[in-house]
Amino acid sequence: MSKMDPTKVKNEEDEFIGFASLPEQVHRKAVRRGFDFSLMVLGDSGLGKSTLINSLFLTDLYKDREIPDTADLVERTLTTVKKQIEIEEKGVKVRLTIVDTPGYNDAVNAEDSWKRVVSYVDQQFQLYYQAESGLNRKNINDTRIHCCLYFISPYGHGLKPLDILVMKKLHHKVNIVPLIAKSDVLTPKEVKRLKTKVLEDIKENDINIYTFPECDSDEDEEFKEQDKALKEAVPFAVIGSNTVVEAGGKKIRGRMYPWGIVEVDNPKHCDFIKLRQMLISTHMQDLKDITSEIHYENYRAESLLSSEVSKSNRERTKLKRDSIANLDKALETEQLLQEKEAEIQRMQEMLAKMQAQLQNNPNSQNGRLGNVR
């Protein structure tokens, strides 16, 4: 067995600069600081939004929720309810913000339901823009909406007109991930048919939903297959349940029916596992990057453009006021000049009359001159 030359080892250590440890430094700093993630859930009441969120993050965010009666639903207006929790897993902290929208499409006239949703998204952009433009930029609280889970009713035949309207109002501001809610009411064939119809409606109406990034060429085959399965699952057919049932001697989360048990964590029954994997394990950072680099930058560019336009309008108004003031001065000067010209003309006329009189009476002029002598 040959021994390694110590001189050679020492030379290799001398050639090592040290910047290869930069990723570790970034990792330590990011873990110490923690991560922010804001998720909006949007859809009709009764589609299991709260249950799904509780299932995704293994928590109970809606302990004090009150179920409104039918009379209240008729006059109910959309509100935004923000819930914040901090989740820690293996030393990594995530400050999670869930924005719920109770009252969405509950009222008899729900045409304006989208306005409050769009207004809320813009407000979060505005808050971040103001914080970014301020003096203290170190500890900015990022409340921008990074993802919107849009719940589609399983009882329809695709997207409703309101779904299309709201998605078109939002798709340039937030990453939309469409979900088919309560998919356990459908057979596998019906789920597949509804998925196809939803994707057709999205394409026909030019709606931009969240698009998965392409895999890098150096990724392993297992990750590529996993990514392909996630792409094919859109829109995700999901089931939520906080109930633990027993099946085959095992305790599982699911729903028990007379004809069998629907397992939330079984990929053969629904896409819940794929949704959680995409949202938390594989694409959370990409959702944040798209929000920051595309949606927020679009808002920032519009804000800068509008401020420039308003500044230009103010300058134009000031110029008009200055022009009016200068015009008044010019008119006053013109009037004085006209008066002076009129006075000079009168004096010239008087002088001409006097000269005419002197020319008409030369004798009287000579007589006066003789008397003087």
Side-chain angles (χ1 to χ4, degrees), residues 112-358:
D112 295 337
S113 293
W114 60 270
K115 290 183 179 179
R116 287 202 179 188
V117 178
V118 173
S119 176
Y120 183 86
V121 174
D122 285 339
Q123 283 174 11
Q124 307 318 303
F125 281 146
Q126 179 66 18
L127 289 172
Y128 192 87
Y129 179 70
Q130 290 174 350
E132 192 182 45
S133 305
L135 296 176
N136 184 16
R137 300 175 58 186
K138 270 190 175 181
N139 302 312
I140 298 178
N141 186 21
D142 187 4
T143 59
R144 296 172 297 181
I145 304 299
H146 300 113
C147 179
C148 174
L149 297 181
Y150 195 93
F151 286 70
I152 299 166
S153 173
Y155 308 113
H157 301 282
L159 296 178
K160 296 180 295 185
L162 182 62
D163 296 332
I164 295 170
L165 174 65
V166 175
M167 284 187 177
K168 293 191 78 169
K169 295 291 182 181
L170 283 175
H171 67 165
H172 292 308
K173 299 175 182 290
V174 68
N175 299 305
I176 298 175
V177 177
L179 310 178
I180 295 176
K182 292 189 172 182
S183 62
D184 52 334
V185 304
L186 303 172
T187 64
K189 287 185 179 180
E190 290 172 337
V191 168
K192 188 176 180 180
R193 191 183 307 127
L194 183 56
K195 282 188 174 189
T196 304
K197 185 66 174 68
V198 168
L199 290 176
E200 287 175 357
D201 291 343
I202 287 172
K203 186 176 180 180
E204 286 175 6
N205 291 280
D206 296 323
I207 297 170
N208 298 323
I209 60 174
Y210 173 67
T211 305
F212 291 82
E214 294 299 325
C215 292
D216 295 332
S217 57
D218 57 347
E219 294 287 356
D220 55 30
E221 290 300 322
E222 184 181 352
F223 183 83
K224 289 180 180 179
E225 288 296 324
Q226 188 182 81
D227 188 68
K228 182 181 178 183
L230 291 177
K231 291 177 181 177
E232 292 175 350
V234 178
F236 297 98
V238 295
I239 304 166
S241 175
N242 299 323
T243 306
V244 177
V245 296
E246 190 169 338
K250 294 181 180 180
K251 290 185 177 181
I252 57 173
R253 283 190 304 158
R255 294 180 177 273
M256 185 175 289
Y257 294 102
W259 53 86
I261 297 174
V262 177
E263 300 176 30
V264 172
D265 298 319
N266 190 337
K268 293 181 180 179
H269 293 183
C270 67
D271 298 326
F272 175 83
I273 289 291
K274 293 175 182 175
L275 173 65
R276 187 168 64 183
Q277 184 180 10
M278 181 279 295
L279 195 62
I280 302 171
S281 302
T282 57
H283 291 80
M284 179 181 279
Q285 188 58 46
D286 188 60
L287 289 165
K288 293 184 58 149
D289 289 343
I290 291 176
T291 299
S292 180
E293 297 169 7
I294 298 177
H295 299 310
Y296 173 68
E297 284 302 317
N298 289 340
Y299 174 85
R300 184 171 171 272
E302 289 175 4
S303 298
L304 290 171
L305 181 62
S306 62
S307 63
E308 286 296 325
V309 170
S310 61
K311 182 181 178 182
S312 176
N313 289 337
R314 286 197 301 272
E315 290 178 352
R316 193 178 289 113
T317 304
K318 183 177 180 297
L319 182 62
K320 283 183 179 179
R321 288 199 301 267
D322 293 343
S323 300
I324 291 171
N326 293 333
L327 181 61
D328 291 340
K329 289 181 181 179
L331 290 174
E332 186 178 352
T333 304
E334 183 70 20
Q335 187 176 359
L336 289 173
L337 288 173
Q338 288 178 357
E339 291 175 357
K340 288 291 184 183
E341 288 179 358
E343 186 176 354
I344 291 171
Q345 190 174 359
R346 285 197 302 271
M347 291 179 67
Q348 288 176 345
E349 289 176 355
M350 288 177 62
L351 183 61
K353 286 181 181 180
M354 290 174 65
Q355 289 177 347
Q357 287 177 359
L358 290 173

Side-chain angles (χ1 to χ4, degrees), residues 27-59:
H27 173 75
R28 285 197 301 270
K29 186 176 180 181
V31 169
R32 187 168 60 250
R33 188 171 56 234
F35 301 90
D36 295 303
F37 190 74
S38 297
L39 181 68
M40 174 179 277
V41 288
L42 192 60
D44 297 353
S45 296
L47 292 182
K49 300 189 295 294
S50 305
T51 305
L52 183 73
I53 292 301
N54 289 337
S55 302
L56 278 171
F57 299 103
L58 301 176
T59 185

